Amino acid sequence: MELVSDVLIKNGLLFAFVVVGAVMWLSYYVSHHLTRGRLHGSAVAIIMGLVLAWLGGLFTGGTKGLSDIPLFAGLAIMGGSMLRDFAIVSTAYGVDLQEIRRSGMVGVLSLLLGIVLSFVVGAAVALMFGYNDSVSMTTLGAGAATYIVGPVTGSALGASSEIVALSVAAGLVKSVLVMIGTPFIAPYIRLNNPKAAMAYGGLMGTTSGVAGGLAATDKRLVPYGAMTATFYTGLGCLLGPSVMYLMIRTVMGG
Amino acid sequence: MIVYGVAVLAACLIAGMIVGDALGALLGVESNVGGVGFAMLLLILLTDRLRRAGQFPQHSADGVLFWSAMYIPIVVAMASIQNVVAAVGAGPVALLAGVLATVLSWGLVPVLSRIGGAEPPLPPISEEAEV
């Protein structure tokens, strides 16, 4: 037994392929037989992945889901940012550049609107709960943008570690909600064409959320959504401690 | 050879990352700005040019398409390493901020995609073709 687990741990990435292959198979089986294809196999697979992450987190108390269990550490390589970005870029192969150029303006607008909206919403929620200093409000707003913008903004502004932790949690809620919710909300917001996908990436901004959500909706939309989402976190980190903080401080009267 | 496609893809991502990191440093933020986006644009332009010149045969394309086909499994692996416990156990402040930001952004999607005329939906596709 120990011999087997030693081999599996030593060849972690290969075992991750086996595990994900099994999850995919199970998900498509469930999709066909239990939901009669109404819920797409990839959506089921992503939800299963999140459930596994939840179980892994409960079991280990760690922050990296199932991969905190040594046996499943290979999942962190397979699902880590390097291979994720590699696969995202590969989906752009064969994409028509004209399409991106046509929707470029919408993409830029969606980025600005998405960032400002998240900051305003986060700041308003902070205020509702009694965090009425502009540093805390801006930091929670940054977390409502993405879970990377939150701590970056918080540390730039010198926010308390409590509020930084809250901002990370807000970003995680958003990321998980986008991953699970996108296929369900897509028909209602007409998320079924490249232009809408570009707007989606810019409005949501969370790379993992958009990557997962669009995969579960229609893989052909992935390159367009990813194209704009990739600018979001950087722009958020740029605007957060500067423009957004000044804006919120002005509104709050110093 | 298949590896040519893989190599072009990898080179595009690395180049994009360098540009994204440089842009981040230039703007004074500790974050990559648009690296993946630049990499995608580079891949589209480069492979288009190579294909026109007859230098990117199907074998090379297969090296890119393999990773495209691995996209969903990789995203599933990504889902399995998220900090879901922290998201699920988030207190009311974080929960409300995250949910409201998401829901309001959802509401803006149809508004924004209507700018300059709405686009027709993509044609339906069979599951086999997609996976």
Side-chain angles (χ1 to χ4, degrees):
Chain A
M1 203 53 215
E2 210 184 299
L3 186 143
V4 175
S5 71
D6 270 355
V7 171
L8 295 182
I9 289 170
K10 241 185 272 168
N11 300 284
L13 179 59
L14 300 187
F15 187 50
F17 289 152
V18 176
V19 171
V20 172
V23 170
M24 295 296 293
W25 179 83
L26 190 65
S27 305
Y28 277 86
Y29 186 87
V30 167
S31 160
H32 282 291
H33 295 272
L34 296 187
T35 77
R36 300 207 181 157
R38 229 170 314 165
L39 188 53
H40 203 285
S42 49
V44 179
I46 287 161
I47 293 171
M48 275 194 193
L50 290 169
V51 170
L52 289 175
W54 179 66
L55 292 175
L58 281 187
F59 186 69
T60 64
T63 59
K64 293 197 292 283
L66 198 59
S67 68
D68 278 326
I69 302 171
L71 190 58
F72 299 106
L75 287 169
I77 306 174
M78 182 175 173
S81 65
M82 182 175 72
L83 284 183
R84 183 199 63 194
D85 291 345
F86 197 53
I88 288 178
V89 173
S90 75
T91 63
Y93 181 75
V95 158
D96 186 5
L97 204 56
Q98 292 300 321
E99 183 66 60
I100 289 168
R101 210 173 287 160
R102 249 198 321 268
S103 313
M105 202 53 224
V106 168
V108 173
L109 263 176
S110 69
L111 273 168
L112 293 175
L113 214 59
I115 291 171
V116 171
L117 180 75
S118 297
F119 269 90
V120 170
V121 168
V125 170
L127 191 60
M128 262 169 61
F129 284 88
Y131 298 97
N132 54 11
D133 60 296
S134 23
V135 168
S136 298
M137 287 171 67
T138 311
T139 304
L140 193 67
T146 74
Y147 58 79
I148 296 171
V149 183
V152 168
T153 303
S155 67
L157 296 176
S160 71
S161 60
E162 176 210 345
I163 199 84
V164 168
L166 276 180
S167 82
V168 173
L172 286 170
V173 168
K174 185 183 188 187
S175 157
V176 170
L177 187 59
V178 172
M179 265 188 252
I180 295 181
T182 305
F184 298 98
I185 197 80
Y188 302 102
I189 57 175
R190 283 185 288 272
L191 179 58
N192 54 17
N193 61 75
K195 193 174 174 188
M198 283 192 72
Y200 196 70
L203 282 168
M204 298 299 153
T206 146
T207 311
S208 35
V210 170
L214 290 180
T217 308
D218 184 342
K219 207 193 111 183
R220 291 172 296 173
L221 299 175
V222 169
Y224 304 100
M227 178 74 75
T228 41
T230 174
F231 288 94
Y232 188 101
T233 288
L235 269 180
C237 293
L238 176 68
L239 297 177
S242 54
V243 179
M244 294 315 301
Y245 174 61
L246 290 177
M247 208 175 91
I248 288 166
R249 204 179 62 175
T250 310
V251 172
M252 293 304 291
Chain B
M1 275 202 279
I2 279 187
V3 72
Y4 293 158
V6 181
V8 166
L9 177 59
C12 285
L13 179 53
I14 290 170
M17 286 294 179
I18 292 172
V19 173
D21 275 353
L23 190 58
L26 209 67
L27 295 171
V29 287
E30 282 173 56
S31 160
N32 184 289
V33 183
V36 171
F38 292 125
M40 291 165 100
L41 290 176
L42 194 61
L43 180 77
I44 296 169
L45 291 171
L46 202 64
T47 52
D48 188 54
R49 184 159 296 180
L50 284 171
R51 229 178 359 218
R52 273 169 214 248
Q55 297 289 309
F56 206 69
Q58 187 57 40
H59 274 310
S60 304
D62 285 343
V64 180
L65 292 173
F66 171 77
W67 289 102
S68 178
M70 283 297 282
Y71 175 73
I72 289 173
I74 284 174
V75 165
V76 171
M78 174 196 81
S80 78
I81 61 170
Q82 300 294 308
N83 192 357
V84 180
V85 171
V88 172
V93 186
L95 196 66
L96 202 60
V99 170
L100 273 183
T102 309
V103 171
L104 290 176
S105 304
W106 276 342
L108 282 178
V109 175
V111 179
L112 272 174
S113 45
R114 220 176 289 145
I115 295 174
E119 275 189 6
L122 289 174
I125 183 173
S126 74
E127 202 163 78
E128 285 70 32
E130 187 177 306
V131 175

